[in-house]
Amino acid sequence: MSHTLLAGLSRTTEPRTMLRRFLVLDAAVTGAGGLAYASAPGPLGRLLGVDATLLRGLGVFLLAYAAVVGYLGSRPRPPADPVKLVVDANVLWALLSLVALVAWLEPSKAGRLWIPAQAATVACLAALQWSALRATAGQAA
């Protein structure tokens, strides 16, 4: 991903600030989804055609994950290894979402649209974070 594109998306040319902003964006999006799944699993389950118990569990997990990602994003210099784990977790989430869609979930029409959309969002966040992390590698420590 080009530095110019990253700078435009993050509204800065400073790689560490880019990385921090992409981590905070991930935490906000993930936290919002987690809050929705944890607080309204019944209605969302009916809308998406997904088991409410599964959504509640995912919601609790996502809230904890968002807290960790938000903490990393709050650091002046997010450490590379934990950020790599976030990127890996996001890629795994995106892939598992698609596998679940075809292998064992039987979602509604809304769910068949939502699941790949959220998987694509998470994959895009992973790509932004990875690109910004690589850009920070060129900076002096």
Side-chain angles (χ1 to χ4, degrees):
M1 194 170 297
S2 81
H3 189 76
T4 304
L5 177 60
L6 287 174
L9 291 171
S10 64
R11 298 180 186 249
T12 182
T13 58
E14 206 289 308
R16 279 194 184 92
T17 303
M18 287 178 195
L19 178 58
R20 293 177 64 220
R21 287 181 180 174
F22 294 141
L23 288 167
V24 169
L25 176 62
D26 186 352
V29 169
T30 301
L35 183 60
Y37 292 167
S39 64
L44 285 175
R46 287 187 294 279
L47 174 67
L48 301 174
V50 177
D51 180 68
T53 304
L54 174 63
L55 284 182
R56 180 177 287 114
L58 288 173
V60 170
F61 169 78
L62 290 174
L63 286 169
Y65 181 76
V68 170
V69 175
Y71 173 77
L72 286 173
S74 75
R75 310 311 316 146
R77 295 176 185 252
D81 287 339
V83 172
K84 288 176 188 174
L85 288 174
V86 168
V87 171
D88 290 346
N90 283 343
V91 170
L92 183 62
W93 178 275
L95 291 173
L96 287 176
S97 295
L98 298 177
V99 168
L101 180 64
V102 298
W104 68 80
L105 294 178
E106 295 180 15
S108 65
K109 186 180 286 189
R112 286 192 304 273
L113 294 172
W114 174 253
I115 293 167
Q118 64 82 30
T121 300
V122 172
C124 286
L125 286 166
L128 291 169
Q129 292 160 347
W130 180 251
S131 296
L133 181 62
R134 288 181 47 132
T136 64
Q139 290 183 321

